Amino acid sequence: MCRHKPLSVLLAFALLFTQSGCWSSKEIEDLSIYTGLTLDQGDPDAVERAFDREGGDYFKNNRVTATVQIVPKKIFSSANESSDNVQTSHYINVSETGDSLFEIFRQFSIRLDRPIIGHHLKVIVIGSKLAEQQDMRKLMDFVLRDNDIRPSCLIFLSRGKASNVLVTKYADEIPSVHIREMIRNRFRTSKVMESVTLSQLDALMYSKKSFLLQNILETQGELEFSGGGIIKGETGKWIGTLNQQDLESISWFKGEVKGGVIKTYNEDKEPITYEIKSASSKITAKITADGRLSFHVDIQSDGRLIENWNPEQKSSGISFLRELESLFEQRLTAMLQHLLQSMQTEYKVEVAGFGEWLSIEKPQVWKKVKEHWDDTFTRVPVTFDVKFTITDFGSATE
């Protein structure tokens, strides 16, 4: 038995050397983890300008300002003020301006006490002024190449200064994480579009198709999703923003409505509201003998009458329900028409999914038009039928 003991010890040591391990790992306490990144038109902040005056400038053009949100960053009061640790902030934002994102990221290393790491990057927000000037493919080139950044990171646009969305008035909140979590409310409203990840953005950019990114507004430390910024496929640049109702209309066309409301007004100008329980859409493409393309969309929805500001009306009557259904159908029809007007006349792009559907259902037709699809769509007729059915009245006691 003793003769087997040395052999057992030797095998135990051999097993230690065969186990996988992170030989080049770094302790998390030695890293600056950033969870948010914003890109804005180049404009050095007061700190950068002060450094430059003192001789801290270097060979560059101020084309892009990158801001990273680093967490956790604990700031404690002095021992003389209190014996308890008082945390005043959960993050810090640091900005640097230049013309190479990789160089900018290395510049952070001469300002921070720990190297930054992007393994937990949640969101990237791009300012519309920068996106209007620069091709999105150029802006995202480094981000897509960097192995530190996960492809599941979400991409957004901001009509204002993008770095402003990384500031909050709530002491216990991290703005970049808050933005990521806001996407969860999509089942409540169609004003929140389906999130676009970094890997999806890569495919969209190189397909040369126009697309949307969720737009974020910031004011007084509060954030709001509001419409979608349009990236023109041909140029890769921002050309404008669709409003909240246009974003809802896109969900109806695509059949991606998860929830939400349709509100309109009765003949007395009082609001009435329809809560969406289910919704579906079917797109049909028609090709004439001379090769002309058109689309027809059939939209159906079941829902409940959830609000009626005219208490004198008997909302459970069949004729009254048909009247209300007609009003809701008219409202959605007007929304869809407005979206088509914006796409075909104002911006001359197609971002409602018709091209995607055509490429799947009629690939031979798509091959003929895909190279100039935005221009082709401006002349394609789109018709639709809308059918709403009110199935119940909430918890009304009529």
Side-chain angles (χ1 to χ4, degrees):
M1 185 173 180
C2 293
R3 287 181 299 177
H4 294 290
K5 188 173 182 179
L7 181 59
S8 299
V9 174
L10 182 61
L11 287 173
F13 275 105
L15 285 173
L16 289 176
F17 285 103
T18 59
Q19 300 306 301
S20 61
C22 298
W23 296 99
S24 60
S25 66
K26 295 181 175 65
E27 296 296 332
I28 193 169
E29 293 84 359
D30 298 329
L31 300 171
S32 291
I33 298 172
Y34 66 97
T35 58
L37 168 64
T38 65
L39 302 176
D40 281 300
Q41 188 178 27
D43 182 20
D45 61 16
V47 173
E48 291 181 85
R49 292 195 296 271
F51 280 142
D52 288 348
R53 288 194 299 269
E54 297 297 325
D57 57 335
Y58 61 95
F59 180 65
K60 63 173 181 174
N61 293 313
N62 291 330
R63 300 174 70 177
V64 141
T65 295
T67 302
V68 292
Q69 182 158 91
I70 298 172
V71 296
K73 182 67 177 180
K74 295 183 179 180
I75 303 173
F76 299 102
S77 62
S78 67
N80 294 330
E81 294 175 349
S82 172
S83 59
D84 297 325
N85 289 331
V86 179
Q87 188 172 350
T88 59
S89 178
H90 288 273
Y91 66 90
I92 61 166
N93 296 337
V94 184
S95 298
E96 187 72 33
T97 304
D99 52 10
S100 162
L101 279 181
F102 182 66
E103 185 177 39
I104 288 172
F105 274 46
R106 288 299 183 259
Q107 284 296 115
F108 287 132
S109 298
I110 62 176
R111 294 182 58 182
L112 301 170
D113 59 342
R114 296 169 295 176
I116 61 173
I117 194 76
H119 291 161
H120 296 279
L121 181 61
K122 307 296 184 185
V123 298
I124 298 175
V125 184
I126 304 167
S128 60
K129 288 185 178 180
L130 177 64
E132 186 177 22
Q133 295 177 343
Q134 302 292 338
D135 188 329
M136 190 71 68
R137 288 163 292 196
K138 295 179 180 179
L139 293 175
M140 292 290 101
D141 186 70
F142 161 70
V143 175
L144 289 166
R145 292 173 186 267
D146 189 3
N147 291 330
D148 283 353
I149 297 176
R150 295 179 179 177
S152 58
C153 169
L154 301 186
I155 314 297
F156 299 90
L157 283 174
S158 174
R159 284 294 300 272
K161 191 174 182 180
S163 61
N164 288 345
V165 308
L166 295 184
V167 179
T168 180
K169 65 182 181 181
Y170 302 109
D172 60 345
E173 187 173 86
I174 298 173
S176 52
V177 176
H178 175 76
I179 293 171
R180 175 94 184 198
E181 296 302 311
M182 287 170 67
I183 292 291
R184 295 188 302 174
N185 292 325
R186 190 165 179 265
F187 78 102
R188 289 288 192 179
T189 173
S190 297
K191 294 180 181 179
V192 178
M193 64 177 284
E194 187 174 3
S195 57
V196 176
T197 65
L198 184 59
S199 59
Q200 291 171 331
L201 178 67
D202 187 21
L204 289 168
M205 290 189 301
Y206 288 95
S207 71
K208 299 294 184 73
K209 292 189 296 185
S210 298
F211 60 93
L212 289 176
L213 293 174
Q214 181 78 63
N215 185 63
I216 307 178
L217 300 181
E218 181 279 334
T219 182
Q220 300 180 30
E222 296 277 358
L223 300 177
E224 177 182 278
F225 286 158
S226 184
I230 304 171
I231 304 298
K232 178 77 171 177
E234 184 179 348
T235 64
K237 297 180 180 180
W238 176 87
I239 60 170
T241 301
L242 296 178
N243 63 31
Q244 295 182 26
Q245 292 178 352
D246 287 335
L247 213 58
E248 287 184 285
S249 298
I250 288 175
S251 294
W252 283 100
F253 274 137
K254 288 186 172 183
E256 295 178 348
V257 175
K258 304 298 183 183
V261 303
I262 294 290
K263 184 203 70 178
T264 189
Y265 299 93
N266 60 23
E267 59 183 9
D268 298 321
K269 307 302 180 184
E270 296 287 0
I272 51 175
T273 310
Y274 172 91
E275 181 183 16
I276 303 163
K277 293 174 61 179
S278 66
S280 63
S281 69
K282 180 180 179 182
I283 300 176
T284 303
K286 299 179 180 179
I287 311 294
T288 62
D290 57 356
R292 293 184 180 181
L293 172 66
S294 65
F295 291 103
H296 179 77
V297 187
D298 182 64
I299 295 174
Q300 297 188 24
S301 173
D302 290 344
R304 61 168 56 96
L305 178 63
I306 199 67
E307 191 173 17
N308 180 11
W309 278 46
N310 190 339
E312 302 301 322
Q313 290 177 320
K314 186 71 172 178
S315 60
S316 60
I318 297 299
S319 60
F320 178 62
L321 289 182
R322 296 291 86 82
E323 179 184 340
L324 292 185
E325 289 168 351
S326 177
L327 290 175
F328 292 128
E329 290 164 359
Q330 291 173 31
R331 173 56 186 157
L332 180 56
T333 297
M335 290 168 56
L336 298 175
Q337 289 173 338
H338 183 272
L339 170 64
L340 288 173
Q341 175 74 12
S342 296
M343 290 194 299
Q344 295 185 319
T345 303
E346 183 177 0
Y347 295 116
K348 301 185 185 303
V349 295
E350 191 279 294
V351 290
F354 289 97
E356 182 180 353
W357 182 90
L358 188 64
S359 67
I360 296 171
E361 297 297 323
K362 295 186 180 296
Q364 296 305 318
V365 176
W366 174 248
K367 287 180 181 179
K368 297 177 181 179
V369 299
K370 67 177 182 178
E371 296 299 328
H372 45 86
W373 174 240
D374 281 342
D375 180 63
T376 298
F377 185 75
T378 62
R379 301 182 296 274
V380 174
V382 180
T383 57
F384 39 84
D385 287 326
V386 177
K387 175 61 178 176
F388 279 16
T389 302
I390 297 175
T391 59
D392 64 80
F393 323 105
S395 298
T397 57
E398 298 176 356

